Amino acid sequence: MKLIAHRNETPNCPENSIASLEYSAQEGIYAVECDLRRTGDGQYVIYHDEDLRRLCGDPRSVNQLTLEQMQSALARANRRVITFAQLIAGYQKQTPILLHVKERVPRPDLLAQFRQARESVELVFGVESLEMLRAIKAFTPSDHLLAFLPEKELYPE
């Protein structure tokens, strides 16, 4: 059995912040999990929900907002969002990050960021599409790749 710290909202640490991930990276934890989404202006952020409703009452989707708009909306509710690049630059623990990739299309810029990030942080990828699975499988060991495929018809493949 492997223990994974999911979403990492911890005492005195905002959800999916570097502080919450590092707090959760305790002895006995296999990985700390966070979600990756793409903003409307092509930035990759660490954010669980599809929209901002739960954290700040804003019904807009992450992919409808620029990073600046998202940061502003969350700041009004005393919340923050970090980019994938900020996570990789700031995370100091040895515990792997289980990155739940909410994006289903394997864009070249995202794959390049994944490859580069693997040089400094151990990543386990959770993917939701066969396309993303195939793309990440090209540079990731199979024991660092999880298929979170939503349709059971995709399982055999």
Side-chain angles (χ1 to χ4, degrees):
M1 180 172 69
K2 294 181 179 181
L3 297 176
I4 298 171
H6 180 253
R7 280 183 45 204
N8 308 296
E9 184 156 22
T10 57
N12 303 315
C13 299
E15 180 179 316
N16 285 323
S17 64
I18 293 171
S20 70
L21 291 166
E22 290 187 340
Y23 177 90
S24 297
Q26 299 176 27
E27 187 175 331
I29 297 294
Y30 167 70
V32 292
E33 185 266 355
C34 59
D35 303 281
L36 180 131
R37 293 185 179 278
R38 186 174 187 266
T39 62
D41 60 345
Q43 300 296 310
Y44 296 101
V45 294
I46 304 305
Y47 195 77
H48 179 268
D49 300 348
E50 187 175 330
D51 59 43
L52 279 60
R53 190 179 323 263
R54 179 175 60 89
L55 292 185
C56 67
D58 189 326
R60 293 178 293 174
S61 297
V62 172
N63 65 11
Q64 293 175 317
L65 300 167
T66 65
L67 175 59
E68 185 177 319
Q69 289 170 326
M70 187 175 180
Q71 289 169 327
S72 178
L74 289 167
R76 288 191 292 274
N78 202 27
R79 297 281 191 157
R80 292 183 45 212
V81 65
I82 60 171
T83 65
F84 179 63
Q86 290 171 321
L87 171 64
I88 298 307
Y91 185 73
Q92 300 296 311
K93 297 291 184 174
Q94 297 300 311
T95 302
I97 296 173
L98 169 54
L99 190 64
H100 187 168
V101 181
K102 300 287 187 162
E103 297 302 308
R104 294 182 174 200
V105 177
R107 292 183 168 87
D109 65 322
L110 180 58
L111 297 174
Q113 287 185 47
F114 288 165
R115 283 187 185 96
Q116 183 177 5
R118 290 182 63 243
E119 296 174 10
S120 57
V121 175
E122 185 176 357
L123 293 173
V124 176
F125 296 95
V127 299
E128 295 186 352
S129 74
L130 288 175
E131 295 78 17
M132 190 66 81
L133 178 74
R134 289 183 189 114
I136 294 175
K137 188 177 181 180
F139 60 87
T140 300
S142 61
D143 66 341
H144 280 64
L145 189 54
L146 301 172
F148 298 148
L149 301 177
E151 292 88 28
K152 67 180 180 178
E153 295 77 28
L154 300 175
Y155 297 172
E157 191 170 342

